[in-house]
Amino acid sequence: MTADPFSTVSSELPRDRWGRPLITPPEGGDPIAYQRVTTFVSALEDTYHLNLWSQRMVVLGMADRRDLQLAALAIADPDDRNAKKTLNDIARQAKDAAAGSAKATIGTALHSYSERIDRGQDLGNVPAEYLPDLEAYRKITTGLESVGIEGFCVRDDLRVGGSYDRIYRFTAEFLDAYAAYYGHRLHYPGRDGLGRLVAGAGPEVQPGDAIIGDVKTGNIDLGMGKICMQLGTYANSLDYDHTIGTRTALVGNPSKDWGVIVHLPAGSGAARLVWADLASGWAVASTLARGVHEWRKRKDLAHDFASLTVTRAPEASLVDLIKAAPSYDALLSLYTQNSTSWTPGLTALASARKKELSAA
């Protein structure tokens, strides 16, 4: 019996070998690779402190791993292509040995657990040390309705796509609880005359307002610019259904001005909600980040206007030098200069030349 070709639909977004999402163009046709939003906005990311942290992890890992020290010392030529790959692998292992990847792994797990909370699913077995984190997430998001969870969206003019963590909708329950706890209604930030944020100076948040949300378990202070660009791009994108290649407005019509970060530092048992300036992030992503990528693609920045090639006459081989030696002393000099590579064959040639010189 022939299998029904319509019985199953793949839930996996197709990607190319570099992990880029393959997106059907708005006008139809074969899927093309879009850049990931995180990669797109990373063009403007300040990685100075991240690189320093990475170097520190490698140092700590190498100090604790004698096997990696030995492997590094065994590299004869660090500029050799294969040696570079080996050194890169040693550095990665050293970083992992210093728990360089542990926080990222824990963060990914907490993301998954927070998603289960928002879907109303059972958490299953959770290590005791992370239960306070998840309880903090549950409490601080009570009344924030998750109308979109891990949705994929695209921005076609930039040819980028990515997954947002959440689209939250404010409910009256959340806003009333906020007012009762803090003694005032929740307002969006405002801006002063220079465009800088002023806490609580904007319009009051209303029940039903939707907003892009992002769950962060690490330090957010140094990466806020990238976060705002990323969320701003999501807010100005369209939901994409890869199974039929269609686009629709983001669920809930979230704000293009503001997003919210649920900051949940792993292992702290603490949580906070942070406004993110998406309007500023999108303004930068859609102009400066786009400009950087367009600049990097330029192939017309240099042109030859004159050229020539000068070839050097080939150097005489040792065999030729022996055959043309003008004297016995010249033969001795050739032997002295090349004694470490001298062979019996060269001795035979030198002997023949010596006879020729003697007969002359």
Side-chain angles (χ1 to χ4, degrees):
M1 180 178 178
T2 303
D4 181 1
F6 312 117
S7 60
T8 59
V9 176
S10 174
S11 60
E12 292 293 326
L13 177 74
R15 296 180 182 273
D16 67 8
R17 58 177 176 160
W18 293 286
R20 298 178 301 182
L22 295 172
I23 306 299
T24 301
E27 65 276 10
D30 294 333
I32 60 176
Y34 274 28
Q35 196 171 30
R36 287 175 285 191
V37 171
T38 51
T39 304
F40 176 73
V41 301
S42 291
L44 299 180
E45 182 181 11
D46 182 357
T47 61
Y48 176 75
H49 292 284
L50 179 62
N51 289 337
L52 289 179
W53 172 84
S54 184
Q55 292 173 37
R56 291 195 297 270
M57 292 300 101
V58 172
V59 170
L60 291 174
M62 290 295 292
D64 196 45
R65 290 282 299 271
R66 294 287 295 170
D67 60 319
L68 297 181
Q69 295 172 30
L70 182 63
L73 289 171
I75 299 294
D77 180 9
D79 293 324
D80 177 75
R81 183 175 66 177
N82 291 326
K84 288 179 180 179
K85 293 180 180 179
T86 301
L87 287 170
N88 288 339
D89 186 59
I90 291 172
R92 179 190 58 77
Q93 292 185 64
K95 182 178 175 181
D96 290 347
S101 63
K103 289 185 178 180
T105 303
I106 293 170
T108 299
L110 290 178
H111 261 88
S112 298
Y113 281 124
S114 70
E115 182 179 339
R116 290 190 199 177
I117 290 174
D118 291 340
R119 294 186 186 278
Q121 299 172 344
D122 180 58
L123 293 182
N125 187 24
V126 181
E129 64 263 40
Y130 298 111
L131 287 174
D133 292 345
L134 298 176
E135 184 61 20
Y137 177 83
R138 190 192 306 273
K139 286 184 176 181
I140 206 163
T141 59
T142 297
L144 285 179
E145 180 186 2
S146 295
V147 296
I149 301 176
E150 296 294 332
F152 189 86
C153 58
V154 294
R155 178 77 193 194
D156 291 303
D157 59 335
L158 299 180
R159 286 195 174 183
V160 299
S163 299
Y164 51 80
D165 283 351
R166 303 288 189 276
I167 296 180
Y168 293 116
R169 179 182 286 141
F170 288 104
T171 66
E173 174 193 5
F174 178 90
L175 297 174
D176 289 344
Y178 180 93
Y181 187 84
Y182 290 100
H184 59 82
R185 306 298 296 182
L186 178 61
H187 287 251
Y188 293 106
R191 301 181 191 276
D192 62 16
L194 298 177
R196 297 172 301 195
L197 302 192
V198 179
E204 183 178 333
V205 179
Q206 300 296 320
D209 286 357
I211 199 163
I212 293 281
D214 201 28
V215 180
K216 295 295 185 185
T217 58
N219 185 292
I220 63 174
D221 296 329
L222 298 177
M224 190 56 68
K226 179 181 178 181
I227 294 171
C228 289
M229 286 190 290
Q230 184 177 351
L231 301 189
T233 302
Y234 293 152
N236 286 274
S237 297
L238 295 172
D239 268 318
Y240 176 75
D241 183 348
H242 73 275
T243 63
I244 52 178
T246 57
R247 294 146 173 83
T248 55
L250 294 180
V251 61
N253 188 29
S255 170
K256 291 180 170 59
D257 292 322
W258 305 106
V260 63
I261 300 167
V262 184
H263 190 210
L264 191 69
S268 68
R272 59 176 176 146
L273 301 179
V274 182
W275 289 118
D277 186 352
L278 304 197
S280 295
W282 170 243
V284 171
S286 60
T287 55
L288 296 183
R290 172 189 277 183
V292 168
H293 287 284
E294 290 176 350
W295 172 255
R296 290 175 177 175
K297 294 177 182 177
R298 290 278 300 274
K299 304 298 182 184
D300 60 337
L301 298 174
H303 296 279
D304 294 347
F305 65 90
S307 64
L308 60 83
T309 302
V310 176
T311 58
R312 187 177 63 180
E315 295 182 359
S317 69
L318 185 55
V319 170
D320 293 333
L321 291 173
I322 291 173
K323 289 180 178 181
S327 65
Y328 178 72
D329 288 339
L331 284 173
L332 286 177
S333 178
L334 288 173
Y335 173 76
T336 301
Q337 295 171 16
N338 300 277
S339 60
T340 58
S341 59
W342 199 267
T343 65
L346 294 177
T347 298
L349 285 175
S351 178
R353 181 57 180 161
K354 176 183 174 183
K355 290 179 181 179
E356 291 175 354
L357 291 171
S358 299

